[in-house]
């Protein structure tokens, strides 16, 4: 009997590669709306976050989709064909190397440990994206698309944009993989979630439109999101904050007015990085605390079972009420899930 699983599997893999390329291309078109350097360097590059998330969720064998998507995007904006090829290779190598480093660090896509959040920040974002920034900026310089004096400003924007794509987009996609709409949640939880989203948006708009530097006002909302809604709420609010800040920086409004590109980029990326790190790390800490609480409850349950078995073998006048032996309520605390 012929085995049809092989050809069918190949077809499905090809479709997945094309889906990755399509997602990369669509996200790139959105990211290019806020380009700041050379028509193709942006402060937030969503395709990088999508690429890394696809590798983490689907496996490294789907890297051709990243290359294809990057090539199609850069084909219309690159200065020369060799530069387009080089940039596409750099855009592929960066998430692939970031993926390999995360695998080496035993990264968990659940993002429920502090070490996972730190690995995503330092290995996936800060270290991995050096490759794409270096290859891309170097290709533009060699192709005549950049002046030598513009290399480092372009490199810094490129690196920060790719890193922000990993910090903002990748966690959201990892959360969407397992998140379910809590239709059975109490009405008060829905009201709180809506109030959090609206409040985050309004405060960020005020902070980015005011001539006074009020960007610090968004951090209580990010802390609120991480404490009450964990990773799902933290990533969503971080996306709101980062998006509004990027639009404000591109328009030169609020704290980004009357400054040159370099100073605006330093301010923007420092703020976006601090906001994303606050949300991501705090959410991971809360998730880790909840795991510790669950393990402690399991231990208490097992101790209660052991104490119950031991107590059954004692004489009736020496038995101790089970409630006095172990009181699990002493380790109980309120948990909130997104």
């Amino acid at each position: 009997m012929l085995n049809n699983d092989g050809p069918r599997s190949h077809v499905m893999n090809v479709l997945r590669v094309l889906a990755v390329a399509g997602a990369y291309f669509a996200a790139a078109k959105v990211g290019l709306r806020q380009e700041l350097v050379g028509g193709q360097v942006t402060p937030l590059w969503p395709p990088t976050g999508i690429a890394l998330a696809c590798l983490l969720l689907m496996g490294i064998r789907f890297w051709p989709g990243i290359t294809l998507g990057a090539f199609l995007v850069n084909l219309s904006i690159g200065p020369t064909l060799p530069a387009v090829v080089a940039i596409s290779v750099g855009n592929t190598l960066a998430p692939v190397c970031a993926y390999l480093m995360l695998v080496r660090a035993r990264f968990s896509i659940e993002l429920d440990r502090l070490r996972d959040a730190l690995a995503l920040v330092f290995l996936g974002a800060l270290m991995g994206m050096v490759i794409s920034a270096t290859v891309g900026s170097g290709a533009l310089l060699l192709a005549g698309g950049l002046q030598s004096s513009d290399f480092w400003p372009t490199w810094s924007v490129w690196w920060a944009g790719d890193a922000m794509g990993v910090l903002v987009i990748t966690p959201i996609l990892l959360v969407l993989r397992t998140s379910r709409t809590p239709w059975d949640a109490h009405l008060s939880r829905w009201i709180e979630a809506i109030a959090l989203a609206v409040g985050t948006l309004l405060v960020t708009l005020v902070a980015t439109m005011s001539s006074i530097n009020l960007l610090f006002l968004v951090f209580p909302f990010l802390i609120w999101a991480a404490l009450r809604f964990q990773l799902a709420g933290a990533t969503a609010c971080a996306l709101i904050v980062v998006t509004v800040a990027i639009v404000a920086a591109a328009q030169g409004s609020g704290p980004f007015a009357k400054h040159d590109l370099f100073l605006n980029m330093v301010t923007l990326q420092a703020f976006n990085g601090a906001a994303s790190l606050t949300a991501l790390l705090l959410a991971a800490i809360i998730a880790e605390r909840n795991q510790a609480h669950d393990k402690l409850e399991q231990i208490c349950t097992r101790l209660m079972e052991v104490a119950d078995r031991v107590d059954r073998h004692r004489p009736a006048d020496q038995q101790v009420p089970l409630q006095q032996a172990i009181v699990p309520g002493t380790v109980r605390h309120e948990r909130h899930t997104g």
Side-chain angles (χ1 to χ4, degrees):
M1 182 179 295
L2 295 177
N3 188 356
N4 295 326
D5 291 341
R8 183 179 303 174
S9 177
H10 289 314
V11 172
M12 292 302 298
N13 287 338
V14 171
L15 292 178
R16 290 190 180 99
V17 167
L18 295 177
V20 172
Y24 191 103
F25 183 85
K29 290 300 183 181
V30 175
L32 287 172
R33 293 182 178 274
Q34 300 299 330
E35 58 84 16
L36 295 180
V37 180
Q40 61 187 111
V41 184
T42 71
L44 174 64
W45 189 238
T48 304
I50 292 177
L52 182 56
C54 289
L55 294 177
L56 290 171
L57 296 175
M58 302 168 62
I60 197 172
R61 66 183 182 276
F62 295 102
W63 67 263
I66 302 173
T67 305
L68 178 59
F71 179 79
L72 294 176
V73 170
N74 290 282
L75 189 61
S76 59
I77 59 178
T80 62
L81 183 59
V84 169
V85 174
I87 292 173
S88 301
V89 171
N91 287 349
T92 304
L93 287 176
V96 167
C97 291
Y99 166 80
L100 294 175
M101 287 190 292
L102 290 175
V103 170
R104 182 76 174 178
R106 298 181 180 179
F107 174 79
S108 172
I109 60 176
E110 303 297 335
L111 273 176
D112 54 359
R113 299 177 301 176
L114 179 60
R115 60 172 292 177
D116 297 327
L118 292 174
L120 183 64
V121 171
F122 290 101
L123 299 180
L126 301 184
M127 292 181 59
M129 299 307 112
V130 170
I131 299 174
S132 57
T134 304
V135 174
S137 300
L140 291 179
L141 179 64
L142 294 176
L146 279 181
Q147 300 294 329
S148 58
S149 58
D150 295 330
F151 175 83
W152 287 114
T154 302
W155 185 94
S156 63
V157 176
W158 198 311
W159 171 75
D162 281 359
M164 289 308 304
V166 171
L167 291 179
V168 176
I169 304 299
T170 300
I172 291 180
L173 296 179
L174 296 180
V175 168
L176 290 177
R177 184 186 67 91
T178 56
S179 64
R180 298 292 183 272
T181 305
W183 297 114
D184 57 343
H186 195 272
L187 179 61
S188 60
R189 291 288 288 169
W190 285 99
I191 295 176
E192 183 181 6
I194 295 173
L196 173 62
V198 174
T200 302
L201 177 61
L202 293 178
V203 169
T204 308
L205 286 173
V206 171
T208 54
M209 289 189 300
S210 174
S211 58
I212 305 175
N213 194 341
L214 300 175
L215 294 175
F216 60 88
L217 292 178
V218 305
F219 288 96
F221 287 85
L222 294 174
I223 296 173
W224 176 12
L227 290 176
R228 295 287 290 173
F229 298 95
Q230 296 181 29
L231 191 61
T235 54
C237 288
L239 178 62
I240 294 173
V241 169
V242 169
T243 302
V244 174
I246 289 174
V247 173
Q251 296 176 350
S253 63
F256 306 102
K258 300 179 181 180
H259 298 296
D260 57 16
L261 176 61
F262 178 76
L263 185 57
N264 277 344
M265 287 307 304
V266 171
T267 303
L268 175 66
Q269 300 299 14
F271 169 71
N272 285 345
S276 300
L277 287 175
T278 299
L280 185 61
L281 296 182
L282 185 56
I285 291 173
I286 297 300
E288 200 168 34
R289 183 202 66 174
N290 289 339
Q291 284 185 342
H293 171 262
D294 291 339
K295 291 181 180 179
L296 191 57
E297 279 192 336
Q298 293 175 3
I299 293 174
C300 287
T301 301
R302 293 175 184 174
L303 288 176
M304 290 175 65
E305 294 173 354
V306 171
D308 184 41
R309 288 196 297 267
V310 172
D311 195 57
R312 290 175 183 174
H313 294 82
R314 293 179 178 178
D317 57 345
Q318 297 181 6
Q319 290 185 1
V320 180
L322 189 60
Q323 291 81 0
Q324 296 181 13
I326 300 176
V327 184
T330 57
V331 298
R332 186 173 301 165
H333 69 275
E334 184 179 2
R335 291 184 60 183
H336 303 286
T337 58

